[in-house]
Amino acid sequence: MPVFDFSNDTTGKQEEAVCTYTTFSSNEDHATIKCPILILSNKRKDWAHHSCGFFSNQDKQTAFEFEEEDGTIISDILRIDARFVSLIKWLGENHIHVRLSGENTSEGYCVYKIREIAFGGGTKLSAEDGFLQFMIERLFQSDAPEDKPSDENQDEMGDDMKLTSIQSITDFMTCAGRTLPDNIRLWARRNLAVARSHEVSQEERRHAQRALSIMMNIQWKSDYFKAIDPDEARKILDEELYGMERVKQRIIETIIQINRTHTLPAYGLLLVGPAGTGKSQIAYAVARILKLPWTTLDMSSINDPEQLTGSSRIYANAKPGIIMDAFSMAGESNLVFIINELDKANSGKGNGNPADVLLTLLDNLGFTDNYMECMIPTVGVYPIATANEKDQISAPLMSRFAVIDIPDYTPEEKKAIFSRFALPKILKRMGLKEDECIMTDEALDTVIELYSETTGIRDLEQAAEHIAANALYQIEVHHVSSVTFDGKMVRELLL
């Protein structure tokens, strides 16, 4: 069991430190009496609901020193949530005065809240309750670390630093411990050394500090996904899309696959169809079903691979790429990348092809940003691309996706969408009641006939806007109570 050793021996004899506690794994997102942060021994006495003191220095003992009216009483730590081992060690090393909230049980004094109440002699610049609560909340969002030997050289001291931001990064790295992915933890230590060093230029230190700030702001999650309710997923799809039963069925099949494996499919989705058929709407619906943050990459506006991969730190104005920015904006590593107009990705005008950069993102083997200089885990990234024409997409890119063809709507479907969705939505936005703008069946047929040669439903939505605006004009200017449109009126208005 990887633990830091304290010693509960108060005799003058120097003995090897002995750990008094065991760790347990938990993925709960908050502490309770049944699943506490840690458990302290209460054999000597029952501790008060709110008890003050500090954790002993790790070189002495695995204990908490309660400050009682009759003096200080030491209580051994019995169990700790594995995610909080490094945090408890940090609190002890820096002699940070805390107040514990807990309850006495047969197991011991179960602690479910830790608050800082004073500096207690600590010199950490960020040792304030705000940072402590942020750290506790972040650890609750983390997965329990694997049970393997810890790195004994992982002693990140930041007492000699004067910049608060650097100090906060240092404290975060120390407290997060092995909840961070191994490659990111090692990368962060190297960059922290650069940010601290006086042997490199100020520009290099600034870039290292910026990269650290970006990386530590991201919640690095595992590739485990909880089961999704297929009925709820179907409800969301029905809310967002009319018809398209084959498309919905394919998406539900993907959800069932995630429920069985608890991991994302090996291939993302490529939605191919005419403009205006709701491809982006489908992508947003899938992100909503997966309960993941989403970001968009508009390939039509990206003409240089460096926009995606970032620029090297050798340049003074270097910055991360769009993909790394997306991770930073989302604040976590699991997200949906909606890649719009994938068929425009081959029109690179810079020093390479933006489409080639996407290949590394889509393979889920890790993405390297030139500015970060680190392999970014992408196992939690689910790509959903849209395109109008398949023949404009390269074969390597096509092989990374499960292709779903989005058909154009039939005249009957367009009529239903116009009358049941497009027009009511416009009327609600304009503040009109349904009985103030009435469409006869002849008028509906005329609208569909006028737009029979167009693809998608965008033109229908614009037609609904035009008709509703004309109804509002007649009501406000001519003071009529309602307007009923027939085929002739629609034809004169829209032609």
Side-chain angles (χ1 to χ4, degrees):
M1 184 69 65
V3 294
F4 51 90
D5 291 331
F6 296 161
S7 171
N8 202 25
D9 183 14
T10 57
T11 66
K13 183 179 178 181
Q14 185 71 28
E15 294 184 0
E16 184 179 353
V18 176
C19 179
T20 64
Y21 67 83
T22 58
T23 60
F24 62 92
S25 295
S26 171
N27 286 315
E28 295 292 329
D29 59 3
H30 66 283
T32 62
I33 297 300
K34 293 184 179 180
C35 189
I37 297 174
L38 74 156
I39 301 176
L40 298 170
S41 173
N42 58 357
K43 290 183 178 179
R44 298 183 63 175
K45 63 176 294 187
D46 285 345
W47 308 111
H49 175 60
H50 295 304
S51 298
C52 299
F54 51 87
F55 291 97
S56 300
N57 185 285
Q58 74 273 19
D59 294 329
K60 298 178 181 179
Q61 57 197 119
T62 50
F64 184 79
E65 299 188 13
F66 287 92
E67 295 179 345
E68 302 284 303
E69 292 182 359
D70 54 348
T72 300
I73 304 177
I74 297 176
S75 173
D76 288 338
I77 302 174
L78 302 179
R79 300 182 68 204
I80 300 181
D81 185 328
R83 296 173 293 183
F84 290 85
V85 169
S86 296
L87 175 61
I88 300 302
K89 176 181 178 181
W90 178 79
L91 291 171
E93 284 178 339
N94 294 281
H95 205 74
I96 294 175
H97 206 158
V98 297
R99 184 184 73 182
L100 306 182
S101 298
E103 186 174 309
N104 291 284
T105 68
S106 57
E107 282 192 272
Y109 180 67
C110 298
V111 177
Y112 60 85
K113 183 181 291 186
I114 304 175
R115 299 292 301 267
E116 183 186 0
I117 56 176
F119 275 91
T123 56
K124 292 280 183 177
L125 296 179
S126 62
E128 301 171 356
D129 188 56
F131 172 79
L132 178 58
Q133 297 313 308
F134 162 77
M135 196 65 240
I136 290 174
E137 182 179 349
R138 179 61 72 88
L139 289 174
F140 270 125
Q141 295 173 2
S142 301
D143 297 309
E146 296 180 12
D147 185 12
K148 60 182 181 180
S150 60
D151 184 356
E152 297 297 332
N153 294 324
Q154 185 190 344
D155 187 16
E156 304 294 347
M157 300 301 293
D159 295 327
D160 58 334
M161 299 306 299
K162 297 180 180 179
L163 294 176
T164 302
S165 57
I166 287 289
Q167 185 63 55
S168 298
I169 292 170
T170 304
D171 290 342
F172 177 83
M173 289 167 52
T174 304
C175 296
R178 289 186 293 109
T179 61
L180 292 172
D182 289 341
N183 70 311
I184 290 178
R185 183 161 50 90
L186 296 174
W187 170 90
R189 290 163 63 182
R190 289 194 298 268
N191 277 267
L192 185 59
V194 174
R196 289 170 165 171
S197 176
H198 296 288
E199 297 180 0
V200 300
S201 67
Q202 182 179 357
E203 201 67 37
E204 290 179 90
R205 293 198 299 271
R206 182 178 67 83
H207 284 317
Q209 179 182 340
R210 181 183 181 188
L212 278 167
S213 178
I214 293 171
M215 194 75 85
M216 295 300 104
N217 184 57
I218 299 170
Q219 178 69 43
W220 298 103
K221 296 188 174 183
S222 69
D223 60 349
Y224 180 88
F225 283 81
K226 294 181 180 179
I228 300 166
D229 184 358
D231 293 333
E232 182 66 23
R234 176 69 195 211
K235 181 180 177 182
I236 292 174
L237 290 174
D238 288 339
E239 288 175 359
E240 299 292 339
L241 302 167
Y242 179 80
M244 294 193 179
E245 292 303 319
R246 292 183 61 184
V247 175
K248 293 177 181 177
Q249 175 66 23
R250 183 68 183 87
I251 293 173
I252 295 297
E253 289 171 1
T254 301
I255 300 305
I256 298 298
Q257 178 183 340
I258 294 174
N259 289 350
R260 174 60 67 92
T261 64
H262 293 290
T263 58
L264 291 174
Y267 302 97
L269 297 179
L270 173 57
L271 309 173
V272 181
T277 51
K279 298 185 293 297
S280 296
Q281 192 108 354
I282 296 171
Y284 300 142
V286 174
R288 182 179 162 195
I289 290 170
L290 295 177
K291 298 178 181 178
L292 291 177
W294 54 267
T295 188
T296 58
L297 296 177
D298 293 311
M299 299 310 299
S300 61
S301 62
I302 297 174
N303 51 35
D304 193 328
E306 197 172 271
Q307 291 178 258
L308 297 173
T309 60
S311 47
S312 173
R313 294 190 204 175
I314 62 174
Y315 304 110
N317 61 346
K319 62 180 182 178
I322 295 175
I323 292 176
M324 194 64 218
D325 277 342
F327 281 108
S328 181
M329 291 292 291
E332 63 175 80
S333 58
N334 292 356
L335 71 161
V336 174
F337 266 96
I338 300 175
I339 307 171
N340 288 323
E341 300 185 276
L342 185 63
D343 45 346
K344 308 293 193 304
N346 289 318
S347 57
K349 301 174 184 176
N351 297 321
N353 193 333
D356 296 335
V357 176
L358 293 177
L359 296 177
T360 59
L361 176 68
L362 300 174
D363 280 334
N364 281 344
L365 299 177
F367 175 80
T368 300
D369 184 277
N370 292 333
Y371 184 85
M372 305 304 292
E373 299 176 348
C374 178
M375 184 71 74
I376 308 301
T378 55
V379 290
V381 172
Y382 192 54
I384 304 177
T386 67
N388 295 333
E389 300 177 9
K390 282 190 285 190
D391 56 5
Q392 297 296 318
I393 304 173
S394 65
L397 268 180
M398 285 284 290
S399 66
R400 265 72 172 182
F401 290 100
V403 180
I404 299 180
D405 289 307
I406 309 296
D408 195 8
Y409 294 100
T410 64
E412 292 76 16
E413 288 175 331
K414 287 184 177 182
K415 185 176 181 179
I417 291 172
F418 182 89
S419 60
R420 292 168 55 183
F421 299 100
L423 185 59
K425 181 177 71 173
I426 299 297
L427 293 177
K428 183 178 179 180
R429 193 173 73 214
M430 290 187 177
L432 285 168
K433 297 177 182 178
E434 290 189 6
D435 58 1
E436 291 180 311
C437 179
I438 301 171
M439 297 282 291
T440 64
D441 288 338
E442 180 191 7
L444 289 173
D445 291 335
T446 302
V447 171
I448 303 306
E449 178 188 342
L450 291 175
Y451 294 98
S452 61
E453 300 299 322
T454 63
T455 60
I457 59 172
R458 287 178 186 155
D459 290 329
L460 292 179
E461 291 176 342
Q462 292 175 9
E465 180 111 18
H466 196 170
I467 291 171
N470 183 265
L472 180 60
Y473 171 83
Q474 294 190 54
I475 291 171
E476 293 296 326
V477 175
H478 300 303
H479 306 291
V480 297
S481 59
S482 67
V483 180
T484 300
F485 289 92
D486 57 21
K488 181 181 179 182
M489 293 172 63
V490 168
R491 193 175 296 275
E492 291 176 351
L493 184 64
L494 298 180
L495 282 179

